[in-house]
Amino acid sequence: MMVDYPPEPWVLHGRACVTTWLVPASALPALPVPPLVVGGRAVVGTAFVEYAPPGMAYRELLAAVLVRRLGVSITHIWVDSEASRAGGRELWGIPKEMAAFPTRFDAETADGPIASVSCSPGRAGLRLPAGASTWQFLGGGVARTPLRATARVTPARATWDIRPDGPLGWLAPHRPVASVGVSGLRLRFGPRRR
């Protein structure tokens, strides 16, 4: 089935809860480029994101690994938009799957829950710019897609509940390092470098 999606770049607006983890490099899924490893551990980020107009409106849950080439590789990601799924896969090699989001910070598939988070951002925050790239497997090669973002970032308390036998189970044995609440997000994703 053909699904229409916007051409790149995508400009998205929203809010998120983002958490970082230190995970043994041996526990990581396959990556298209080497992870950044310090003391045998890699930095993994997880996020629940809610995008709203202007731009596409959808929810997502993702896990991404910090890599040596100034960016991340998204290893797992679920969305509730067929257009986002198709566009992410075809344009940038992002392995998006479909999921339901009964609440903003809760994701599940027909196989059961994936993860949920209780996220309580603090009051003080800073508006920050960020720039990096995603590095993904695509068409037998590696795709690099630049992204630029601005957002208000606030330290947060977050408690994750990850199903141990689920697709993010490789994170379940580990403790989160730090979390932030993200609001007023403006994200420009793409175009992919040829």
Side-chain angles (χ1 to χ4, degrees), residues 75-131:
T75 60
H76 298 79
I77 183 168
W78 295 266
V79 297
D80 62 359
S81 160
E82 290 283 1
S84 175
R85 179 185 182 275
R89 285 174 164 263
E90 294 170 20
L91 293 171
W92 308 303
I94 297 173
K96 294 186 178 187
E97 298 289 352
M98 296 298 296
F101 292 77
T103 68
R104 193 171 94 204
F105 294 140
D106 185 28
E108 61 186 33
T109 66
D111 294 330
I114 303 167
S116 63
V117 67
S118 170
C119 189
S120 301
R123 296 182 185 271
L126 295 172
R127 186 144 193 94
L128 298 174

Side-chain angles (χ1 to χ4, degrees), residues 5-189:
Y5 52 82
E8 58 179 347
W10 289 5
V11 178
L12 302 168
H13 299 81
R15 58 186 177 168
C17 179
V18 181
T19 297
T20 57
W21 312 66
L22 290 177
V23 176
S26 60
L28 297 177
L31 300 169
V33 295
L36 180 64
V37 177
V38 178
R41 296 186 175 270
V43 178
V44 176
T46 53
F48 272 93
V49 188
E50 183 177 41
Y51 297 111
M56 294 177 67
Y58 65 95
R59 293 177 178 172
E60 72 184 11
L61 163 63
L62 67 90
V65 178
L66 190 64
V67 297
R68 292 184 196 167
R69 297 187 183 182
L70 188 59
V72 298
S73 182
I74 299 170
T75 60
H76 298 79
I77 183 168
W78 295 266
V79 297
D80 62 359
S81 160
E82 290 283 1
S84 175
R85 179 185 182 275
R89 285 174 164 263
E90 294 170 20
L91 293 171
W92 308 303
I94 297 173
K96 294 186 178 187
E97 298 289 352
M98 296 298 296
F101 292 77
T103 68
R104 193 171 94 204
F105 294 140
D106 185 28
E108 61 186 33
T109 66
D111 294 330
I114 303 167
S116 63
V117 67
S118 170
C119 189
S120 301
R123 296 182 185 271
L126 295 172
R127 186 144 193 94
L128 298 174
S133 293
T134 60
W135 298 84
Q136 303 297 140
F137 293 113
L138 180 65
V142 177
R144 179 174 78 88
T145 305
L147 61 91
R148 298 280 180 265
T150 58
R152 184 173 183 270
V153 178
T154 306
R157 287 181 301 157
T159 303
W160 284 77
D161 183 10
I162 295 174
R163 194 176 99 216
D165 64 342
L168 292 180
W170 53 281
L171 286 173
H174 309 289
R175 295 180 62 129
V177 175
S179 299
V180 294
V182 177
S183 60
L185 172 66
R186 182 186 186 277
L187 172 65
R188 184 179 190 272
F189 202 95

